[in-house]
Amino acid sequence: MVENFDEWFHDILENADITDSRYPIKGMAVWRPYGFQIRKHSMNIIKKLLDKDHDEVLFPMLVPETELAKEGIHVKGFEDEVYWVTQGGQTPLNEKLALRPTSETAIYPMYSLWIRTHIDLPIKMYQIVNTFRYETKHTRPLIRVREITTFKEAHTAHATKEESDEQIQDFIEMYKEFFDDLGIPYLISKRPEWDKFPGSDYTMAFDVIMPNGKTLQIGTIHNLGQTFAKTFDITFEDKDGEHKLVYQTCAGVSDRVIASVIGVHGDEKGLRLPPKVSPNQVTIIPILFKKGKEEVLAKCSEIKEQLEEAGIRVNIDDRDIRPGKKFNDWELKGTPLKLELGPRDLENNITVAMRRDEGEKIELTLDDSLADNVMDLLEKSNENLSKIAWDFQGEHVKFTEDINEISELVEAGNVVKFYWGGDEAVGKEIEEKTGYDILGIQEEVSEGKCIASGEDAKYVALIAKTY
Ligand code: A5A
Ligand code: MG
């Protein structure tokens, strides 16, 4: 799986009914029912986190060219990726309309109308929408798509720079909680100047190491400073009666989150879904013989009801096929816990539980304690998946002080930590010499020498092979 990760990933999307890439537009796929459920559950987690202090809104998908073009740096960053709508039926439009690649230029003209005084601040809104980017790098389902179907973008405006910096920290904490719920480990870094979001002051990013050692950017948080406020004239009357520009931030996660769940936790048998996003948390597999069939099925339904009452998502696989085939199917689909029930088990008043994250079989008594015991196994499986993933990351981040060692370490599937002086030219030289990307700065240091220039180091930075 590690060697052929891309192939494994491609196959699992198809075999586990996640997405179908045969849709006849490159970079755009169909969410199939099972994938749609995973998407829904993961979306609900982030929604819940955002709903604590953000208002959900919905902006139009089309952005007039004049608005998109207003913020020079921003539009330059996206100009090669924009899809344009130019006609309504046979009639050429008098202004080209962009399919949003992201929504700053849709939202901020409205912020300019909505924000009048300091009482209107802070403003914190989010939307979950599809965005379009004509990506020119190799497209991959969920990872680099041209229609991002599940773009969760948050946009805030504040009275002071301090508040905007605090908001960045809040987003970092929020994303940590989100990825923790999915058992996804992350490396947080401040992107180098040349890789920050177009129009931002600085970008904080979450990266995850996929099984093949390549990193995937799974979330980004941007401090926009006052750049967009100037462009879109977003001002407020402060307590002192003065008119001031707001400070803004934005943050986003996408379909890539699902890619990371699949990639990080999967194994050679298929998906291993964390219970929080698994469409079924428990799959009951009846072992049916002619004799006693009705009784076994009736008990399965009873168990299902009992577990559902405790808030657990349960399905019964009563298809008329071999139990072995059912087992394989649910291993492939990554259901966290399987409960097996045959006539003999019914006689003994037990069910045999099997966690997807590890193979051991456990007998559970069919009484009032069942739901608690099942919850306990789900929780353990959740923790275990997360631990395995964090251990993997721990083993695949290596430090070196020798620039000539980077290549060997990265090719062996690692992300490499190194001392960097912080100079942009030197940073680019390191990227050029090694052929990899500097992810960003992990921490400031007052020791060590820059791996390339030999001058005093300012940072510990990360370099990796990236998606
Ligand atoms: N408005 C801000 C939040 C923004 O657009 N930021 S971003 O460009 O960095 O995108 C947010 C996140 O979307 C990225 O961190 C990345 O995880 C994801 N993303 C970007 N392009 C993508 C693509 N083509 N396919 C899938 N996900 C993508
Ligand atoms: Mg891009």
Side-chain angles (χ1 to χ4, degrees):
M1 172 187 160
V2 178
E3 296 77 47
N4 299 312
F5 175 72
D6 288 329
E7 201 181 311
W8 175 91
F9 184 73
H10 185 270
D11 290 347
I12 198 92
L13 293 181
E14 200 167 298
N15 297 337
D17 294 331
I18 309 285
T19 56
D20 196 327
S21 297
R22 289 174 298 179
Y23 190 78
I25 299 180
K26 183 175 149 67
M28 301 188 188
V30 181
W31 281 101
R32 301 197 56 197
Y34 196 71
F36 192 89
Q37 294 283 325
I38 301 173
R39 173 180 179 268
K40 181 180 75 183
H41 293 304
S42 73
M43 208 159 82
N44 285 343
I45 298 176
I46 189 78
K47 256 174 101 92
K48 226 180 187 167
L49 291 169
L50 283 160
D51 282 337
K52 283 183 193 166
D53 65 347
H54 280 67
D55 293 312
E56 187 172 8
V57 292
L58 186 54
F59 278 74
M61 190 192 295
L62 296 176
V63 184
E65 181 177 26
T66 43
E67 297 297 344
L68 189 78
K70 263 185 193 159
E71 194 355 80
I73 306 169
H74 182 69
V75 74
K76 226 180 148 359
F78 281 103
E79 66 187 353
D80 293 334
E81 295 186 6
V82 177
Y83 282 90
W84 290 103
V85 175
T86 57
Q87 270 183 224
Q90 305 296 320
T91 316
L93 299 178
N94 49 24
E95 178 168 24
K96 284 205 297 186
L97 304 173
L99 289 179
R100 59 183 165 217
T102 164
S103 307
E104 285 72 15
T105 58
I107 296 175
Y108 300 164
M110 300 308 289
Y111 273 12
S112 160
L113 300 174
W114 295 340
I115 298 168
R116 304 261 67 111
T117 80
H118 60 92
I119 300 163
D120 303 322
L121 296 172
I123 193 166
K124 302 184 186 191
M125 294 185 170
Y126 80 93
Q127 63 176 4
I128 302 181
V129 295
N130 50 353
T131 58
F132 297 83
R133 296 183 182 183
Y134 185 74
E135 296 281 0
T136 47
K137 264 177 101 176
H138 186 61
T139 59
R140 295 170 194 279
L142 304 182
I143 290 177
R144 181 168 289 99
V145 288
R146 288 182 170 175
E147 179 183 10
I148 307 175
T149 63
T150 327
F151 197 63
K152 304 104 175 164
E153 51 176 329
H155 295 266
T156 73
H158 309 266
T160 64
K161 169 158 172 35
E162 291 66 44
E163 274 182 56
S164 74
D165 285 327
E166 277 165 29
Q167 183 61 48
I168 299 295
Q169 288 310 313
D170 286 354
F171 277 136
I172 290 176
E173 290 311 312
M174 182 191 295
Y175 282 0
K176 277 186 182 174
E177 219 177 312
F178 178 48
F179 291 118
D180 287 346
D181 262 359
L182 307 176
I184 299 296
Y186 37 78
L187 295 161
I188 302 171
S189 68
K190 184 176 182 182
R191 285 278 182 265
E193 281 298 308
W194 62 90
D195 196 26
K196 66 185 187 183
F197 184 67
S200 72
D201 281 4
Y202 65 90
T203 290
M204 301 299 298
F206 281 64
D207 293 286
V208 62
I209 310 174
M210 296 298 256
N212 58 3
K214 278 198 202 175
T215 62
L216 182 65
Q217 171 184 294
I218 45 172
T220 29
I221 301 164
H222 316 289
N223 193 318
L224 304 175
Q226 295 181 305
T227 301
F228 288 87
K230 277 179 207 147
T231 305
F232 291 99
D233 191 28
I234 313 174
T235 59
F236 67 102
E237 189 181 333
D238 209 348
K239 288 174 194 141
D240 53 18
E242 263 186 64
H243 287 264
K244 298 175 182 169
L245 292 165
V246 298
Y247 292 84
Q248 291 177 275
T249 82
C250 67
V253 282
S254 79
D255 311 32
R256 278 187 190 175
V257 171
I258 308 286
S260 72
V261 168
I262 293 169
V264 166
H265 298 310
D267 66 10
E268 59 292 332
K269 288 185 200 154
L271 300 175
R272 291 195 299 182
L273 293 175
K276 284 180 182 149
V277 295
S278 187
N280 310 299
Q281 295 166 319
V282 172
T283 294
I284 303 174
I285 300 180
I287 313 292
L288 301 172
F289 300 93
K290 274 202 192 87
K291 195 166 155 259
K293 186 175 173 181
E294 297 310 316
E295 288 79 359
V296 168
L297 282 173
K299 192 66 184 180
C300 288
S301 298
E302 205 181 292
I303 295 172
K304 180 170 189 274
E305 236 167 77
Q306 185 187 353
L307 296 179
E308 279 174 345
E309 249 166 57
I312 301 166
R313 294 191 289 270
V314 189
N315 70 319
I316 301 174
D317 187 350
D318 56 6
R319 290 177 298 167
D320 189 17
I321 53 172
R322 286 185 302 108
K325 165 83 172 123
K326 295 184 187 179
F327 262 80
N328 291 344
D329 282 359
W330 293 106
E331 304 247 278
L332 170 69
K333 289 204 164 174
T335 203
L337 192 72
K338 293 188 284 299
L339 295 181
E340 182 189 306
L341 190 91
R344 181 97 55 77
D345 303 317
L346 189 57
E347 251 168 53
N348 297 330
N349 202 40
I350 57 143
T351 175
V352 181
M354 210 170 126
R355 269 161 60 181
R356 175 62 177 88
D357 60 303
E358 47 144 77
E360 207 192 335
K361 291 188 173 192
I362 305 161
E363 292 187 356
L364 300 177
T365 309
L366 294 174
D367 60 15
D368 288 348
S369 68
L370 184 66
D372 280 348
N373 289 332
V374 163
M375 296 264 239
D376 187 49
L377 291 176
L378 289 174
E379 186 48 41
K380 282 191 177 129
S381 124
N382 195 36
E383 278 167 20
N384 188 38
L385 283 179
S386 169
K387 184 181 178 311
I388 294 169
W390 278 99
D391 286 350
F392 178 86
Q393 177 175 299
E395 288 157 15
H396 289 88
V397 178
K398 302 269 162 66
F399 177 79
T400 183
E401 292 188 78
D402 177 1
I403 194 165
N404 297 312
E405 225 177 68
I406 290 179
S407 165
E408 194 183 319
L409 286 168
V410 171
E411 290 309 318
N414 299 294
V415 171
V416 176
K417 273 191 191 199
F418 65 97
Y419 285 133
W420 180 31
D423 190 71
E424 183 161 335
V426 175
K428 287 194 166 158
E429 186 191 307
I430 296 170
E431 287 193 338
E432 208 147 290
K433 182 159 184 205
T434 59
Y436 308 124
D437 296 323
I438 293 183
L439 297 180
I441 294 160
Q442 218 181 19
E443 56 177 319
E444 292 185 18
V445 289
S446 49
E447 58 181 32
K449 301 284 172 203
C450 175
I451 200 166
S453 72
E455 59 188 357
D456 283 346
K458 282 205 186 105
Y459 310 112
V460 168
L462 300 169
I463 189 163
K465 206 187 256 189
T466 60
Y467 266 103

